[in-house]
Amino acid sequence: MNKRFSDQSSHSGHPRRFSKTLLKRALILCCAGLVTGLAIVLLHTPQPISAQGVQRQEDQLIRDFKLPSTPVEAPVYRPQAPVYQPEPAPIVEAPPAAEPYYEPAPSQPAPVESAIPAPSQSAPKAEPKPEPTKAASAEALSRYVLEFNRSPAIGNRFRLQGTYAEARIGFTRPKNWTVKTAKVVVRFQHSPAIVADKSNLIVRVNDTSIGSVPLNLKNAQIGEAVVNIPANLIQDYNEVTLVAQQSNSPTCANPDDKALWSEVLPDSKVVLDYQPQALALDFSRYPLPFFDNLGLDTTRLNYLLPGQVNEAWLTATSRFHAHFGRLADFRSLETSLVKDTKKFQWNDRLIVIGTPKDQPTLKSMKLPLNITNDQIVDGNKTALPDNVGVLMLATLNNGGIPVLIASGNSPEAVAKAVQFLVQPSNSQIGAGQVVLVQNVAEVESPKPRSWERYLPLEDSFQLSALKGLDNKPFKDVTVRGTSAPPVQFQFRALPDDRMLRGSSMNLKYSYSAQVNTRKSSLSVRIDGVTVGSKKLTSDNGASNETFNVDLPPNLIKSDSVIDVAFDLYPKESLKCGQVSDQQLSGTVHSSTEFKINRENSVELPDLKLLTTGYPFAAPQDLSQTAIVVPDAPTEADVMTLLKFSERLGRLSQAQSVKLDVYKPGSLTEAVKKDRHLVGIGTRDRFPIQEMLQANSGFRLMDSFTRESGKEKINVLPDQGGVIKSMMSPWNRDRVLLALTAQTDFGLKQVQDVFSNDLWFYQLKEDTALISTNQTNPSPFDSNAYQMQFVSQSERRRIEDTSIVSKARQFLQEQWYLLPVGIVGSSVVLYGISQLFLKQVGG
């Protein structure tokens, strides 16, 4: 029994040990599985990571970026300028001076062929623009006619007076032109008293004589001379010089004789036959071909409207257009809004701003990067990060229309792409057809009173701190001859400067020997008004002489120009009054010193200050200005926004643009208090109702009602535009500006005023009422628009001055109180003295 029991016990114990072993193994496998599962979950479950981790992931995506497997061919801009068929007969060259040549003008001169009509400032003509030729041979030429009257310095008069006179006109050569042939067509007339054998007109181009014409016309007839210009003389910057050598006596002529005159007619012209060259699009050349600072044609920008006009698009587009206003400076721009890419003229450029979702047209364009599911992807079909801006270059119409695209997969990315272009320090490093913008440096805003083209903030500075008329820092300038032009430089006071007595200029100058000390002198003028003159007294010349000139405060304004004129005469004259004067010279040194006495004081609102950009361009990066448009802006609203942004760009110089655009729903109280506001829209959709409801000043009301003070009238129809400024009800140091009208046609008139210098610089007071009777007013007619100015808004003086200065200013403005104060104080003092005497006597 015991043995049997023991055997049973031994057999029954083996399963227990086996079950324990299995249990241990199962537990181990379960633990391993649990650990593996946790590891898989941890690796595949999104976990909150730091901003640095996100940045590392985005950097990795950019590093792994791959171009499409079938990359698009690099875009090439091929300008399709209208083709000109050259005349079969060769151009007749003017013979040398020994055998003079001229062509009398016919009674009705035939027009000169022009494929690209040049605008005329004095007598503009509406001529149809020729259509571009679709297929042109490689040797086909285009023609450009540049009339002299395009220069504002010439206008309607180009007169040469005296025995020897020179006049100059400059022109540029666009960067993608290869000039094949060129000629100068000079139309002229001269005094009947001139002796033909001793008088001629010499034509020079870039200091090289290219022809001569005798002055032998009778009875002030009009002559015409055609002079060829060798193509190799044409450079980026060119100068045509006309020299008149005139005499009215066979023996001796008096250089001061008023009968010695010749006039070059303003419709004289330079004719250029050229081939436009193809240009490979590359961001290293930006802003070419969208803007050429050497261009002769008006730059035409077309903005593609998105499917929905939102704040992000409005802000990005307004900043970009302000940037283009800075590029254009004094040059003209034509801007339009387009909804498709079908109808373009030969000189158009297209700007596309927005995400692929906002701009569905991008999907149908041939781009360097692909678009999938409304997102920009790389060659691996991986979408770019949402905060990476994308800049691309493309073309339309077989390369005839260049396209600039600022996009991304989010509004933040689009804003970053545009900001890269508007900041010169960033855009200079661009290259290729695609730029991926990861980071854009934040540029610090300049000081509100730091304006690049105006007087420095320091009260003592040198002339080298100012700029000449070419907007470049002033350097030593030397002029020569008895008829030397004055040395000019800008002397612009800041818009909120009030000049005081005590300002002075310590002029440092030099002049050559052999001057006639009895006649030669030096004079200083401010805007044509002489403020000081000095006799040149040294026969041996002088070096670094000084001349201290007082600068009257009432003459220094925001657009002032100082002239330093040398009136130089030689000691001895040759026979017959002919003067040898090229050895005479005068120099103005950049070490000239200025001491300015001024204070910061300005009275607002004032539309005259708007012509300088103040206060909206303070600081110059436009960071203190916000534009407000209606919730559903129309094309007229958007175009008014662009025209105003362009004007602010022209009036400011900074390393960035920080202009913001809002709709009424997103306009916060903080923005209202902190910014200068510009409202845009017709009266029934105007976004800042507080301006229309103000009790003072001019108001537009419903039913075409106009109200001014207690006067109320109805105007049917009211097609005029209104520009009105007033102090902000949210901040007494901020200004509101309304660009409004009763209709979109009235807003068009506001746009024209901001886009044309002739009309814009007429603004003054606090309200401008704009009207016209013309359908398409000429931009060359200063009276095309009738503007009436009203001053009814409450004005406020903003200043940072001492109590003494404030008292002085008060007495200057309220001068009639001074006699009353003197009499009153005398009576009070008399009464006090009588009381004192009575007390002493008692």
Side-chain angles (χ1 to χ4, degrees), residues 471-744:
N471 286 324
K472 294 181 179 180
F474 189 91
K475 298 180 180 179
D476 291 1
V477 175
T478 300
V479 294
R480 297 183 179 277
T482 57
S483 301
V487 178
Q488 296 183 322
F489 53 88
Q490 296 171 344
F491 201 75
R492 299 176 174 178
L494 288 167
D496 58 349
D497 272 345
R498 183 169 66 193
M499 308 305 294
L500 305 175
R501 294 180 181 179
S503 300
S504 63
M505 167 186 179
N506 191 27
L507 177 65
K508 294 187 178 181
Y509 64 98
S510 302
Y511 59 95
S512 62
Q514 298 299 317
V515 299
N516 188 333
T517 56
R518 292 192 306 109
K519 295 182 178 180
S520 301
S521 64
L522 169 71
S523 59
V524 178
R525 301 189 292 260
I526 300 178
D527 296 333
V529 179
T530 301
V531 295
S533 62
K534 183 179 182 181
K535 187 177 180 181
L536 304 182
T537 57
S538 175
D539 293 336
N540 298 322
S543 177
N544 277 313
E545 290 280 302
T546 60
F547 177 33
N548 193 271
V549 182
D550 181 66
L551 302 177
N554 60 311
L555 293 181
I556 303 175
K557 301 180 177 60
S558 295
D559 56 354
S560 293
V561 174
I562 290 183
D563 297 344
V564 179
F566 289 92
D567 296 320
L568 304 174
Y569 294 89
K571 272 189 173 182
E572 297 180 359
S573 299
L574 299 180
K575 291 183 179 180
C576 299
Q578 297 292 333
V579 178
S580 177
D581 63 355
Q582 291 305 300
Q583 80 279 9
L584 305 178
S585 67
T587 301
V588 175
H589 297 290
S590 60
S591 57
T592 296
E593 299 173 341
F594 293 91
K595 182 180 178 181
I596 303 300
N597 190 15
R598 58 186 170 179
E599 58 188 13
N600 179 209
S601 178
V602 65
E603 195 173 52
L604 294 171
D606 189 353
L607 292 181
K608 187 64 178 177
L609 291 171
L610 180 62
T611 61
T612 67
Y614 190 84
F616 303 96
Q620 291 271 279
D621 63 355
L622 313 179
S623 57
Q624 287 296 317
T625 296
I627 302 176
V628 190
V629 298
D631 287 320
T634 63
E635 289 189 30
D637 299 330
V638 176
M639 185 58 67
T640 307
L641 164 70
L642 293 181
K643 293 295 184 181
F644 181 77
S645 302
E646 176 189 324
R647 179 56 65 176
L648 283 186
R650 293 178 185 271
L651 295 173
S652 62
Q653 294 293 321
Q655 293 301 309
S656 183
V657 181
K658 298 182 180 180
L659 188 64
D660 288 321
V661 182
Y662 295 90
K663 291 183 178 180
S666 59
L667 187 63
T668 63
E669 290 297 323
V671 173
K672 291 179 181 179
K673 292 179 180 179
D674 186 56
R675 306 280 190 96
H676 302 287
L677 299 182
V678 181
I680 294 175
T682 55
R683 183 206 57 80
D684 56 339
R685 297 181 295 104
F686 195 73
I688 307 178
Q689 289 297 319
E690 287 82 357
M691 292 198 69
L692 301 183
Q693 297 170 0
N695 294 326
S696 63
F698 178 86
R699 292 196 297 170
L700 290 178
M701 306 177 70
D702 57 357
S703 302
F704 295 96
T705 302
R706 290 185 168 199
E707 182 178 287
S708 179
K710 297 182 179 180
E711 300 175 356
K712 183 182 294 186
I713 60 173
N714 293 83
V715 182
L716 299 173
D718 188 352
Q719 303 287 353
V722 178
I723 302 175
K724 178 182 177 180
S725 61
M726 60 178 289
M727 301 308 296
S728 172
W730 301 287
N731 187 333
R732 299 184 65 220
D733 292 338
R734 297 289 182 258
V735 174
L736 303 182
L737 181 69
L739 310 180
T740 185
Q742 292 281 15
T743 62
D744 285 348

Side-chain angles (χ1 to χ4, degrees), residues 257-271:
D257 193 339
K258 300 300 182 182
L260 292 174
W261 62 267
S262 296
E263 282 196 358
V264 177
L265 301 186
D267 58 350
S268 300
K269 54 185 72 70
V270 177
V271 182

Side-chain angles (χ1 to χ4, degrees), residues 301-310 312-315 317-318 335-342 344 349-362 365 403-404 406 629 632-642 663:
L301 294 180
N302 296 270
Y303 289 93
L304 184 62
L305 282 169
Q308 182 179 3
V309 179
N310 52 40
W313 184 87
L314 291 168
T315 297
T317 305
S318 65
T335 308
S336 60
L337 301 171
V338 296
K339 296 182 178 179
D340 55 52
T341 59
K342 296 179 181 179
F344 287 113
R349 286 92 166 160
L350 178 63
I351 311 297
V352 183
I353 298 175
T355 64
K357 184 178 181 180
D358 293 333
Q359 298 284 11
T361 306
L362 291 175
M365 296 175 64
V403 183
L404 173 62
V629 298
T634 63
E635 289 189 30
D637 299 330
V638 176
M639 185 58 67
T640 307
L641 164 70
L642 293 181
K663 291 183 178 180

Side-chain angles (χ1 to χ4, degrees), residues 428-445:
Q428 291 173 355
I429 65 175
Q433 294 89 44
V434 179
V435 174
L436 302 181
V437 185
Q438 288 184 266
N439 298 305
V440 178
E442 180 69 21
V443 178
E444 184 180 358
S445 294

Side-chain angles (χ1 to χ4, degrees), residues 122-150:
S122 58
K125 298 179 181 179
E127 298 182 3
K129 184 174 285 189
E131 295 295 330
T133 303
K134 294 183 180 179
S137 63
E139 287 76 20
L141 297 178
S142 299
R143 169 164 286 192
Y144 193 92
V145 176
L146 177 67
E147 294 191 349
F148 284 11
N149 58 9
R150 282 186 61 173

Side-chain angles (χ1 to χ4, degrees), residues 236-428:
D236 287 346
Y237 295 92
N238 305 278
E239 186 176 68
V240 176
T241 304
L242 300 175
V243 182
Q245 294 178 338
Q246 304 172 124
S247 177
N248 59 353
S249 171
T251 57
C252 184
N254 181 1
D256 296 326
D257 193 339
K258 300 300 182 182
L260 292 174
W261 62 267
S262 296
E263 282 196 358
V264 177
L265 301 186
D267 58 350
S268 300
K269 54 185 72 70
V270 177
V271 182
L272 303 173
D273 293 334
Y274 68 96
Q275 286 180 350
Q277 299 300 305
L279 179 67
L281 296 184
D282 195 297
F283 276 106
S284 62
R285 299 187 180 95
Y286 181 81
L288 275 178
F290 303 96
F291 178 79
D292 183 0
N293 61 338
L294 301 180
L296 295 173
D297 290 304
T298 298
T299 301
R300 294 174 50 85
L301 294 180
N302 296 270
Y303 289 93
L304 184 62
L305 282 169
Q308 182 179 3
V309 179
N310 52 40
E311 287 184 1
W313 184 87
L314 291 168
T315 297
T317 305
S318 65
R319 290 185 178 186
F320 182 84
H321 202 60
H323 155 67
F324 249 78
R326 288 178 180 171
L327 291 177
D329 199 6
F330 59 88
R331 305 169 187 87
S332 58
L333 279 178
E334 288 186 18
T335 308
S336 60
L337 301 171
V338 296
K339 296 182 178 179
D340 55 52
T341 59
K342 296 179 181 179
K343 295 181 180 179
F344 287 113
Q345 300 183 23
W346 68 271
N347 195 33
D348 281 345
R349 286 92 166 160
L350 178 63
I351 311 297
V352 183
I353 298 175
T355 64
K357 184 178 181 180
D358 293 333
Q359 298 284 11
T361 306
L362 291 175
K363 303 173 187 177
S364 61
M365 296 175 64
K366 198 173 183 180
L367 301 177
L369 299 181
N370 296 325
I371 296 177
T372 302
N373 296 327
D374 290 334
Q375 286 192 316
I376 301 174
V377 299
D378 64 1
N380 294 323
K381 298 189 180 301
T382 301
L384 293 177
D386 287 347
N387 66 339
V388 174
V390 180
L391 293 168
M392 293 183 283
L393 295 172
T395 60
L396 295 174
N397 296 359
N398 298 321
I401 305 298
V403 183
L404 173 62
I405 300 164
S407 187
N409 290 333
S410 69
E412 176 191 357
V414 175
K416 188 176 291 186
V418 170
Q419 202 65 21
F420 175 84
L421 292 177
V422 304
Q423 297 183 175
S425 59
N426 295 332
S427 60
Q428 291 173 355

